Structure formats: C-alpha cells, structure tokens
C-alpha cells in the first residue's frame, strides 16, 4: 500500500518536473553507507542503464527498474524520488568516470605531444559511446525537462572546471574567465558531437574526425592568441 502511494506521488512529481523549471540539482534522497545498500544502489543503476538502452526514456519506469533489479519498488524510492533523479545520477556517474580518466593525463598539456593526447582521448571517449549505448540514452534523457537540463549544466560545469585547469599551461596569458568559457564550450561540443556520431545513418568515424578538427583548430588558435597577449601569466590569473 505504501509502495503504491509512493509510486502515485512519484508520477505526480514526474508530471510537475516536465512543465516546471527547476534550478536545484536533482540528487538521490540518500547515498548508501553500507556494503549491502551499495549493492542495491548499484543494481538499480545497472538495471536503469539496461532499461534505457532497451526502451528509451519515454517508456522508462521506476517499477520496471525495480523489477529488473529484483528489488522491491520501496527500495528504489528509498534512494530515488523518480526516474529523473535516476537519470541524473547516471549522468553524474558517466561524467565522474571521464573526469577520473582525464585526471590521469593531467600534466601532458602543453607538452609537445599534446595533439596526440587529444586524439587518443577523443578516440577513447568515442569508443565508450559506441560500446555503451546507454551513454547516448542518458544524454538524451537529460534534455527531457528543465530540471534535468539544469542538473546537466551543473555536471558539465564541474567537468569544465577540470578542463579549464588543464588548459592553463597551454593558454598561460588568457584571462581565467575566458579560459573557463573555452572549457565549457569544449565540453558542450564534445558531448553534442558524440551524440551526433552515433545517430542512425551517421558515419561514426567521420563525425569523430570532424570533432577532432574542431577541437584542434579551436585550441591552436587559443594557444597562439595567448602567446601574443601582453602581461605575465600571474597577472592574467588575477584578472
């Protein structure tokens, strides 16, 4: 009875989220603190990925997620208020994974071989989108409501902050606020182009090649402009 009431409440909230702009980040009601809870949490997220890949976000339901995870619906609602929170957590999970991998390359920019690093990293990300269809489904689902889009912006900005720090040595005389904007542009372009690359009828290889050309041209121009700018790097950081 309680689970049914929660489900009805969640559906009402789902409808509200579809029409109401929210600026607050959508997050789980709670995160697991014990191993047993962590296993349930992970099982729900894995079932959500599989369901998204199978039916898409429009037909995605919390009830089906719980069924696939072989857990009571009440357990799902202990962690997630609705399906929008689930997809936001999946998006956060995807971006955290990329950030961790990107951190391993921190310091390689602006080595003389930074172009090779850029090529390899774009190839790596493109490969993940090809081998894991749920990444595109998560990205598309994040565009479904004002709340999920707002949460996506928060996630992308956190990622962009990391990219901005990595661009520092490459563009030492570029003002910090402009470098932050550059990083946000790069992150947005990468995810938009990766989504484009896996659309039906689109050549993935050609789209990825164009993405590399866009990023390479953008960064080469930024590097040249930074080196021509006056003032010291320390002055720029204070700007």
């Amino acid at each position: 009875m309680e689970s049914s009431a929660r489900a009805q409440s969640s559906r009402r909230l789902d409808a509200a989220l579809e029409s109401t702009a929210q600026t607050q980040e959508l997050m789980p009601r709670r995160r697991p603190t014990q191993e047993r809870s962590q296993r349930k949490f992970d099982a729900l997220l894995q079932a959500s990925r599989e369901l998204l890949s199978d039916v898409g976000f429009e037909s995605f339901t919390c009830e089906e997620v719980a069924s696939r995870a072989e857990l009571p619906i009440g357990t799902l609602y202990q962690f997630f208020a609705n399906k929008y929170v689930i997809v936001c957590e999946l998006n956060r999970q995807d971006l955290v994974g990329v950030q961790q991998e990107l951190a391993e390359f921190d310091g390689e920019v602006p080595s003389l071989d930074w172009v090779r690093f850029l090529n390899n990293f774009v190839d790596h990300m493109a490969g993940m989108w090809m081998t894991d269809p749920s990444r595109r489904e998560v990205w598309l689902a994040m565009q479904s409501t004002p709340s999920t889009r707002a949460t996506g912006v928060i996630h992308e900005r956190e990622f962009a902050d990391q990219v901005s720090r990595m661009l520092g040595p490459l563009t030492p005389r570029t003002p910090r606020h402009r470098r932050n904007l550059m990083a946000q542009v790069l992150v947005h372009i990468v995810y938009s182009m990766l989504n484009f690359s896996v659309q039906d009828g689109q050549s993935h290889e050609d789209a990825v090649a164009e993405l590399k050309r866009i990023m390479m041209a953008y960064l080469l121009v930024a590097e040249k402009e930074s080196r021509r700018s006056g003032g010291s790097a320390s002055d720029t950081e204070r700007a």
Side-chain angles (χ1 to χ4, degrees), residues 11 29 42 51 60 77 84 117 139 168 172 179 182 217 234:
R11 283 192 288 271
R29 283 174 164 155
D42 293 343
L51 183 59
F60 182 100
Y77 287 129
Y84 301 97
F117 154 70
W139 189 86
R179 194 160 59 234
M182 289 168 52
S234 59

Side-chain angles (χ1 to χ4, degrees), residues 7-221:
Q8 291 177 3
S9 175
S10 176
R11 283 192 288 271
R12 287 195 295 270
L13 182 55
D14 289 352
L17 285 171
E18 288 174 351
S19 59
T20 304
Q22 300 274 338
T23 57
Q24 186 175 0
E25 181 179 3
L26 298 182
M27 300 180 67
R29 283 174 164 155
R30 70 179 182 89
R31 296 191 180 278
T33 57
Q34 298 180 346
E35 184 179 350
R36 183 180 178 185
S37 295
Q38 186 67 56
R39 286 197 301 269
K40 293 177 180 178
F41 189 82
D42 293 343
L44 289 165
L45 291 179
Q46 182 58 39
S48 297
R49 285 193 181 278
E50 295 171 359
L51 183 59
L52 271 177
S53 299
D54 290 345
V55 305
F57 190 59
E58 188 173 339
S59 299
F60 182 100
T61 66
C62 291
E63 289 77 10
E64 181 60 23
V65 170
S67 176
R68 290 194 177 207
E70 299 182 346
L71 291 169
I73 187 65
T75 299
L76 182 147
Y77 287 129
Q78 288 177 11
F79 296 113
F80 307 106
N82 51 65
K83 68 179 187 178
Y84 301 97
V85 177
I86 294 176
V87 79
C88 287
E89 181 64 14
L90 290 175
N91 187 65
R92 189 199 66 82
Q93 189 180 68
D94 286 346
L95 280 177
V96 166
V98 173
Q99 286 179 272
Q100 290 173 344
E101 294 177 352
L102 189 61
E104 296 179 7
F105 295 94
D106 201 357
E108 293 198 27
V109 180
S111 71
L112 293 177
D113 219 10
W114 73 266
V115 172
R116 180 181 62 84
F117 154 70
L118 177 64
N119 276 317
N120 289 344
F121 192 74
V122 171
D123 283 339
H124 177 64
M125 288 195 66
M128 290 192 298
W129 275 61
M130 280 294 288
T131 57
D132 183 2
S134 73
R135 286 180 178 270
R136 177 174 184 254
E137 295 300 332
V138 169
W139 189 86
L140 290 173
M142 291 296 291
Q143 317 309 313
S144 62
T145 70
S147 291
T148 50
R149 288 194 295 273
T151 298
V153 168
I154 293 171
H155 292 173
E156 286 191 4
R157 281 179 180 167
E158 291 173 356
F159 187 19
D161 286 344
Q162 180 183 11
V163 174
S164 179
R165 289 192 296 272
M166 292 184 70
L167 290 177
L170 186 67
T171 56
R173 292 182 175 85
T174 298
R176 182 180 299 173
H177 68 87
R178 184 161 186 271
R179 194 160 59 234
N180 290 341
L181 176 60
M182 289 168 52
Q184 291 177 39
V185 168
L186 285 169
V187 169
H188 185 74
I189 288 174
V190 167
Y191 278 92
S192 296
M193 284 296 292
L194 287 175
N195 175 59
F196 174 70
S197 76
V198 294
Q199 290 181 2
D200 293 340
Q202 174 59 49
S203 168
H204 177 71
E205 292 76 13
D206 290 347
V208 171
E210 291 303 306
L211 170 59
K212 290 178 181 178
R213 291 179 64 185
I214 293 170
M215 295 180 68
M216 198 75 63
Y218 189 73
L219 289 173
L220 285 172
V221 170

